[in-house]
Amino acid sequence: MIIIVQLLLFLAVVIGTLALMRGAGNARHTAVRRILLMLFAVVAALSVFFPAMLTWFANRLGIGRGTDLVLYALIVFFMIYMATSFQRTRQLEARITKLARRIALDEAPNPAAVAEGRMPERGPLPGNGDGAPKMGGGAVSPNGTGPNPEARRRPERAGG
């Protein structure tokens, strides 16, 4: 039974290592991450097959059991993961903000054309191709139960 558990844990370590090695990033970060992952995979595989070695190493560090050492290492790695995820999220938010601003500036009408009273023609909005945003079946009634017939009426133009 122990051999089956050891083999399953070893396969989990190998598959997890291979999955994590496929990530994106610049070459330096990718190389460092792959080296650390390989080191982790070797240590994890050895600790699965030789648990006494992990306990021996933990004792040399002043920790009573090998499982405690694994728990402490997991806490440290989880904190590192949280910090890098937070940093990556901040970077993505900054990129999205920059993109949104660029799109807003690109789609803004020319101030000179607006001052002269001529508005540039805009293309259709994303949706059903007729310039109207795609909506389920028209505007929804005030009570939310179906289409609102009032929303389909066009306002009359003033002065003609």
Side-chain angles (χ1 to χ4, degrees):
M1 182 66 176
I2 288 266
I3 299 292
I4 294 172
V5 171
Q6 288 176 333
L7 288 176
L8 288 175
L9 287 172
F10 177 75
L11 285 175
V13 167
V14 169
I15 291 170
T17 301
L18 292 175
L20 290 172
M21 287 181 103
R22 296 181 334 148
N26 66 26
R28 181 173 167 228
H29 286 124
T30 302
V32 169
R33 187 173 68 206
R34 286 182 178 174
I35 290 170
L36 290 174
L37 276 170
M38 288 306 296
L39 180 65
F40 167 76
V42 169
V43 170
L46 288 175
S47 69
V48 166
F49 289 111
F50 307 108
M53 186 174 72
L54 184 64
T55 303
W56 176 84
F57 186 66
N59 288 334
R60 296 296 170 260
L61 293 175
I63 300 171
R65 301 179 302 173
T67 55
D68 293 339
L69 175 63
V70 170
L71 176 65
Y72 301 151
L74 283 175
I75 290 170
V76 169
F77 287 126
F78 180 69
M79 296 299 287
I80 292 170
Y81 171 78
M82 285 182 55
T84 56
S85 293
F86 177 73
Q87 184 179 21
R88 188 178 311 125
T89 301
R90 273 195 2 223
Q91 290 173 349
L92 286 174
E93 287 174 350
R95 289 174 64 189
I96 290 170
T97 300
K98 188 175 181 180
L99 262 172
R101 288 176 180 163
R102 179 78 257 161
I103 291 170
L105 289 173
D106 288 346
E107 292 183 357
N110 184 350
V114 172
E116 292 174 8
R118 53 184 173 90
M119 291 292 294
E121 188 173 317
R122 290 195 178 271
L125 295 172
N128 55 13
D130 64 357
K134 189 173 187 178
M135 303 197 50
V140 178
S141 64
N143 62 7
T145 59
N148 185 358
E150 295 296 320
R152 294 182 187 254
R153 288 190 194 160
R154 303 245 182 237
E156 293 183 27
R157 291 186 179 184

